[in-house]
Amino acid sequence: MKVLIEPAGRIKGRLTAPGDKSISHRAAILAAMADEPVLITNYLEAGDPISTLSAIEQLGALVERRSEGLMIRGVGLRNAQTPTQPIDVGNAGTLIRLLPGWLAGQQGSSFQLDGDESIRRRPIDRIAVPLTLMGAQIEATDKRFAPFTVEGARLHGIDYELPVASAQVKSCIALAALIAEGPTTITEIDASRDHTERLLLSAGVKISRLGGELTIYPADELTLPDRIEIPSDPSSAAFAIAAAVLVPGSRLLVEDCSVNWTRSGFIKIAKRMGAVIITDLEERPKDGAITQAEPLSDIDVTAGPLKPTTVSAREVPLAVDELPLIALMACFAEGQTRIEGAAELRLKESDRIAAVVTALSDLGAEAETSEDGLIINGRGSLRGGRVDAGRDHRIAMLGVIAGLASQEGVEVVGVEAAAVSYPDFLADIAALQ
Ligand code: S3P
């Protein structure tokens, strides 16, 4: 499906962004691992988290849709059922990287996982290596891709230094640690999103962090709260925020959004570029200690001029899904913006470094790839043209926001990809004009 996005007069109004994708995946998987029922409210009913619901149903969990939310009845930590069919994760990278952590410890059972064409191109050796060190048996295509098989085994705790700052890998190991013998310590070079840690703390798991060292102890069972409320997704909100920053005369209020410090890199970078954003971001705890609740705040955005910036490697994991928007905003700032240490972007739903450079160049911007990131030479405006989403939800939404802020409009091809994380995206954006 294609849409023609005309330049917007202004962005004005209030937005409640949809439920957080990362937390939805985690809440559903952990509810499946629990013994007692859990009611999840504001679950993100979008392509990716729906794949997670199907997966946990195949593993024996019961998922009941109620008016107030999803009631999930789990099977317990060690009782996942063996599915009769391979688990199809669709497009969901978080699902295919987290779930094996749980499955690896299901002794005597075997699980096959597969996904769409994009999933088959994304490496899973980053989880297969630590899980194998814990005692799991994983047979992957060419040793690093889906489809792959996980043979449940007796696991033992490990000390593992993450080679990349990846919340998916960290979370996978943390799930396996719950059913391993002895504690597991994960060392993070740079911080990444911490939703798994917060949820495990809320489930009574013994888990602690000191600086970059996260230690997880085995558990007999998970005792999650009866009710988990999924906060609004800051990565989804970021699209409307970028539109409001870029379209002159705009004023947007994003209500009750997650401002978890591990997710607020985009707002910090945007503010450094000069964006007028008023919000109450959670502060990074000094000792690295884990806090339990997900913090919320309104985010008040006013359009204004931007200046270029340099995004460093340490900032990348805290803004990883929003970097395409930083690149777009950089087109409107006069001068050079550099995004460094972002090679991980090549391993997303598409090669997002190449996809962003192609999309922005096609719209008339001066954008190029660097060794491990992007360089944008901003000129203060963007002409417009055509963007092909290439089945990547975030590139589809990037094209729409570029269109609103452009001089001549943007035709977005494959805009339906947005449904993977934000099914009401076009309607929400239309309501703000
Ligand atoms: C996610 C972590 C990030 C992010 C992805 C969601 C998660 O991936 O890009 O959209 O929910 O843990 P990495 O952990 O591979 O950086």
Side-chain angles (χ1 to χ4, degrees), residues 291-312:
T291 34
Q292 189 168 313
E294 292 283 348
L296 303 178
S297 173
D298 289 349
I299 304 171
D300 184 344
V301 191
T302 308
L306 295 176
K307 48 183 188 286
T309 191
T310 297
V311 177
S312 70

PDB file of all heavy atoms in Angstrom, residues 291-312:
ATOM      1  N   THR A 291      15.391  -0.122  39.415  1.00  0.00           N
ATOM      2  CA  THR A 291      14.142   0.357  40.007  1.00  0.00           C
ATOM      3  C   THR A 291      13.018  -0.467  39.406  1.00  0.00           C
ATOM      4  O   THR A 291      13.133  -0.970  38.295  1.00  0.00           O
ATOM      5  CB  THR A 291      13.902   1.842  39.680  1.00  0.00           C
ATOM      6  OG1 THR A 291      14.412   2.099  38.386  1.00  0.00           O
ATOM      7  CG2 THR A 291      14.553   2.748  40.686  1.00  0.00           C
ATOM      8  N   GLN A 292      11.930  -0.598  40.153  1.00  0.00           N
ATOM      9  CA  GLN A 292      10.902  -1.536  39.719  1.00  0.00           C
ATOM     10  C   GLN A 292       9.888  -0.939  38.746  1.00  0.00           C
ATOM     11  O   GLN A 292       9.693  -1.434  37.655  1.00  0.00           O
ATOM     12  CB  GLN A 292      10.194  -2.074  40.950  1.00  0.00           C
ATOM     13  CG  GLN A 292       9.251  -3.207  40.631  1.00  0.00           C
ATOM     14  CD  GLN A 292       8.807  -3.897  41.898  1.00  0.00           C
ATOM     15  OE1 GLN A 292       9.619  -4.205  42.763  1.00  0.00           O
ATOM     16  NE2 GLN A 292       7.519  -4.118  42.015  1.00  0.00           N
ATOM     17  N   ALA A 293       9.256   0.171  39.154  1.00  0.00           N
ATOM     18  CA  ALA A 293       8.160   0.695  38.336  1.00  0.00           C
ATOM     19  C   ALA A 293       8.687   1.392  37.088  1.00  0.00           C
ATOM     20  O   ALA A 293       9.786   1.940  37.094  1.00  0.00           O
ATOM     21  CB  ALA A 293       7.347   1.674  39.172  1.00  0.00           C
ATOM     22  N   GLU A 294       7.915   1.351  36.017  1.00  0.00           N
ATOM     23  CA  GLU A 294       8.262   2.084  34.803  1.00  0.00           C
ATOM     24  C   GLU A 294       7.769   3.521  34.986  1.00  0.00           C
ATOM     25  O   GLU A 294       6.572   3.745  35.193  1.00  0.00           O
ATOM     26  CB  GLU A 294       7.581   1.450  33.580  1.00  0.00           C
ATOM     27  CG  GLU A 294       8.101   0.061  33.227  1.00  0.00           C
ATOM     28  CD  GLU A 294       9.454   0.089  32.506  1.00  0.00           C
ATOM     29  OE1 GLU A 294       9.879   1.174  32.083  1.00  0.00           O
ATOM     30  OE2 GLU A 294      10.064  -0.995  32.390  1.00  0.00           O
ATOM     31  N   PRO A 295       8.656   4.527  34.904  1.00  0.00           N
ATOM     32  CA  PRO A 295       8.241   5.915  35.143  1.00  0.00           C
ATOM     33  C   PRO A 295       7.487   6.512  33.950  1.00  0.00           C
ATOM     34  O   PRO A 295       7.787   6.200  32.798  1.00  0.00           O
ATOM     35  CB  PRO A 295       9.580   6.632  35.319  1.00  0.00           C
ATOM     36  CG  PRO A 295      10.528   5.826  34.502  1.00  0.00           C
ATOM     37  CD  PRO A 295      10.067   4.405  34.551  1.00  0.00           C
ATOM     38  N   LEU A 296       6.515   7.359  34.246  1.00  0.00           N
ATOM     39  CA  LEU A 296       5.701   7.993  33.189  1.00  0.00           C
ATOM     40  C   LEU A 296       5.778   9.502  33.300  1.00  0.00           C
ATOM     41  O   LEU A 296       5.918  10.042  34.396  1.00  0.00           O
ATOM     42  CB  LEU A 296       4.224   7.609  33.338  1.00  0.00           C
ATOM     43  CG  LEU A 296       3.888   6.131  33.329  1.00  0.00           C
ATOM     44  CD1 LEU A 296       2.391   5.945  33.546  1.00  0.00           C
ATOM     45  CD2 LEU A 296       4.292   5.512  31.999  1.00  0.00           C
ATOM     46  N   SER A 297       5.625  10.177  32.168  1.00  0.00           N
ATOM     47  CA  SER A 297       5.539  11.649  32.195  1.00  0.00           C
ATOM     48  C   SER A 297       4.841  12.121  30.926  1.00  0.00           C
ATOM     49  O   SER A 297       4.831  11.416  29.911  1.00  0.00           O
ATOM     50  CB  SER A 297       6.940  12.256  32.257  1.00  0.00           C
ATOM     51  OG  SER A 297       6.888  13.656  32.133  1.00  0.00           O
ATOM     52  N   ASP A 298       4.272  13.326  30.981  1.00  0.00           N
ATOM     53  CA  ASP A 298       3.832  13.976  29.751  1.00  0.00           C
ATOM     54  C   ASP A 298       5.068  14.515  29.042  1.00  0.00           C
ATOM     55  O   ASP A 298       6.090  14.795  29.685  1.00  0.00           O
ATOM     56  CB  ASP A 298       2.902  15.156  30.072  1.00  0.00           C
ATOM     57  CG  ASP A 298       1.539  14.671  30.583  1.00  0.00           C
ATOM     58  OD1 ASP A 298       1.268  13.455  30.478  1.00  0.00           O
ATOM     59  OD2 ASP A 298       0.764  15.513  31.080  1.00  0.00           O
ATOM     60  N   ILE A 299       4.976  14.670  27.734  1.00  0.00           N
ATOM     61  CA  ILE A 299       6.091  15.221  26.959  1.00  0.00           C
ATOM     62  C   ILE A 299       5.509  16.354  26.104  1.00  0.00           C
ATOM     63  O   ILE A 299       4.649  16.115  25.254  1.00  0.00           O
ATOM     64  CB  ILE A 299       6.737  14.136  26.062  1.00  0.00           C
ATOM     65  CG1 ILE A 299       7.192  12.928  26.923  1.00  0.00           C
ATOM     66  CG2 ILE A 299       7.907  14.709  25.276  1.00  0.00           C
ATOM     67  CD1 ILE A 299       7.636  11.713  26.131  1.00  0.00           C
ATOM     68  N   ASP A 300       5.962  17.560  26.377  1.00  0.00           N
ATOM     69  CA  ASP A 300       5.389  18.750  25.750  1.00  0.00           C
ATOM     70  C   ASP A 300       6.381  19.250  24.689  1.00  0.00           C
ATOM     71  O   ASP A 300       7.527  19.567  25.007  1.00  0.00           O
ATOM     72  CB  ASP A 300       5.202  19.784  26.891  1.00  0.00           C
ATOM     73  CG  ASP A 300       4.513  21.044  26.425  1.00  0.00           C
ATOM     74  OD1 ASP A 300       4.434  21.283  25.209  1.00  0.00           O
ATOM     75  OD2 ASP A 300       4.078  21.814  27.312  1.00  0.00           O
ATOM     76  N   VAL A 301       5.952  19.302  23.432  1.00  0.00           N
ATOM     77  CA  VAL A 301       6.874  19.570  22.324  1.00  0.00           C
ATOM     78  C   VAL A 301       6.430  20.803  21.537  1.00  0.00           C
ATOM     79  O   VAL A 301       5.256  20.907  21.155  1.00  0.00           O
ATOM     80  CB  VAL A 301       6.904  18.367  21.342  1.00  0.00           C
ATOM     81  CG1 VAL A 301       8.046  18.513  20.350  1.00  0.00           C
ATOM     82  CG2 VAL A 301       6.998  17.041  22.073  1.00  0.00           C
ATOM     83  N   THR A 302       7.362  21.709  21.275  1.00  0.00           N
ATOM     84  CA  THR A 302       7.080  22.892  20.453  1.00  0.00           C
ATOM     85  C   THR A 302       8.078  22.923  19.302  1.00  0.00           C
ATOM     86  O   THR A 302       9.263  22.629  19.508  1.00  0.00           O
ATOM     87  CB  THR A 302       7.253  24.179  21.297  1.00  0.00           C
ATOM     88  OG1 THR A 302       6.493  24.037  22.486  1.00  0.00           O
ATOM     89  CG2 THR A 302       6.772  25.415  20.550  1.00  0.00           C
ATOM     90  N   ALA A 303       7.630  23.285  18.102  1.00  0.00           N
ATOM     91  CA  ALA A 303       8.541  23.331  16.945  1.00  0.00           C
ATOM     92  C   ALA A 303       9.578  24.423  17.119  1.00  0.00           C
ATOM     93  O   ALA A 303       9.313  25.448  17.758  1.00  0.00           O
ATOM     94  CB  ALA A 303       7.738  23.586  15.672  1.00  0.00           C
ATOM     95  N   GLY A 304      10.753  24.203  16.549  1.00  0.00           N
ATOM     96  CA  GLY A 304      11.792  25.233  16.625  1.00  0.00           C
ATOM     97  C   GLY A 304      12.993  24.831  15.805  1.00  0.00           C
ATOM     98  O   GLY A 304      13.076  23.687  15.336  1.00  0.00           O
ATOM     99  N   PRO A 305      13.930  25.737  15.627  1.00  0.00           N
ATOM    100  CA  PRO A 305      15.111  25.431  14.808  1.00  0.00           C
ATOM    101  C   PRO A 305      16.041  24.427  15.496  1.00  0.00           C
ATOM    102  O   PRO A 305      16.071  24.353  16.724  1.00  0.00           O
ATOM    103  CB  PRO A 305      15.804  26.792  14.661  1.00  0.00           C
ATOM    104  CG  PRO A 305      15.298  27.616  15.795  1.00  0.00           C
ATOM    105  CD  PRO A 305      13.948  27.103  16.166  1.00  0.00           C
ATOM    106  N   LEU A 306      16.784  23.698  14.693  1.00  0.00           N
ATOM    107  CA  LEU A 306      17.678  22.660  15.224  1.00  0.00           C
ATOM    108  C   LEU A 306      19.108  22.938  14.823  1.00  0.00           C
ATOM    109  O   LEU A 306      19.366  23.576  13.806  1.00  0.00           O
ATOM    110  CB  LEU A 306      17.269  21.292  14.658  1.00  0.00           C
ATOM    111  CG  LEU A 306      15.896  20.762  15.075  1.00  0.00           C
ATOM    112  CD1 LEU A 306      15.609  19.447  14.353  1.00  0.00           C
ATOM    113  CD2 LEU A 306      15.811  20.563  16.585  1.00  0.00           C
ATOM    114  N   LYS A 307      20.036  22.406  15.613  1.00  0.00           N
ATOM    115  CA  LYS A 307      21.452  22.471  15.227  1.00  0.00           C
ATOM    116  C   LYS A 307      22.011  21.046  15.148  1.00  0.00           C
ATOM    117  O   LYS A 307      21.467  20.133  15.779  1.00  0.00           O
ATOM    118  CB  LYS A 307      22.252  23.365  16.176  1.00  0.00           C
ATOM    119  CG  LYS A 307      22.039  23.130  17.648  1.00  0.00           C
ATOM    120  CD  LYS A 307      22.856  24.147  18.412  1.00  0.00           C
ATOM    121  CE  LYS A 307      22.874  23.897  19.897  1.00  0.00           C
ATOM    122  NZ  LYS A 307      21.650  24.225  20.610  1.00  0.00           N
ATOM    123  N   PRO A 308      23.103  20.871  14.393  1.00  0.00           N
ATOM    124  CA  PRO A 308      23.637  19.513  14.241  1.00  0.00           C
ATOM    125  C   PRO A 308      24.264  19.003  15.531  1.00  0.00           C
ATOM    126  O   PRO A 308      24.512  19.782  16.456  1.00  0.00           O
ATOM    127  CB  PRO A 308      24.700  19.671  13.151  1.00  0.00           C
ATOM    128  CG  PRO A 308      24.971  21.120  13.027  1.00  0.00           C
ATOM    129  CD  PRO A 308      23.846  21.876  13.624  1.00  0.00           C
ATOM    130  N   THR A 309      24.516  17.709  15.577  1.00  0.00           N
ATOM    131  CA  THR A 309      25.124  17.120  16.773  1.00  0.00           C
ATOM    132  C   THR A 309      25.947  15.896  16.383  1.00  0.00           C
ATOM    133  O   THR A 309      25.882  15.437  15.246  1.00  0.00           O
ATOM    134  CB  THR A 309      24.044  16.727  17.802  1.00  0.00           C
ATOM    135  OG1 THR A 309      24.674  16.412  19.041  1.00  0.00           O
ATOM    136  CG2 THR A 309      23.219  15.526  17.360  1.00  0.00           C
ATOM    137  N   THR A 310      26.666  15.350  17.359  1.00  0.00           N
ATOM    138  CA  THR A 310      27.335  14.056  17.181  1.00  0.00           C
ATOM    139  C   THR A 310      26.751  13.100  18.207  1.00  0.00           C
ATOM    140  O   THR A 310      26.719  13.403  19.400  1.00  0.00           O
ATOM    141  CB  THR A 310      28.857  14.182  17.371  1.00  0.00           C
ATOM    142  OG1 THR A 310      29.349  15.045  16.346  1.00  0.00           O
ATOM    143  CG2 THR A 310      29.551  12.835  17.253  1.00  0.00           C
ATOM    144  N   VAL A 311      26.258  11.974  17.732  1.00  0.00           N
ATOM    145  CA  VAL A 311      25.727  10.940  18.626  1.00  0.00           C
ATOM    146  C   VAL A 311      26.842   9.925  18.846  1.00  0.00           C
ATOM    147  O   VAL A 311      27.384   9.375  17.884  1.00  0.00           O
ATOM    148  CB  VAL A 311      24.486  10.260  17.990  1.00  0.00           C
ATOM    149  CG1 VAL A 311      23.977   9.135  18.869  1.00  0.00           C
ATOM    150  CG2 VAL A 311      23.385  11.285  17.724  1.00  0.00           C
ATOM    151  N   SER A 312      27.190   9.694  20.128  1.00  0.00           N
ATOM    152  CA  SER A 312      28.317   8.797  20.414  1.00  0.00           C
ATOM    153  C   SER A 312      27.842   7.355  20.582  1.00  0.00           C
ATOM    154  O   SER A 312      26.657   7.101  20.835  1.00  0.00           O
ATOM    155  CB  SER A 312      29.010   9.253  21.698  1.00  0.00           C
ATOM    156  OG  SER A 312      28.156   8.985  22.794  1.00  0.00           O
TER     157      SER A 312
END
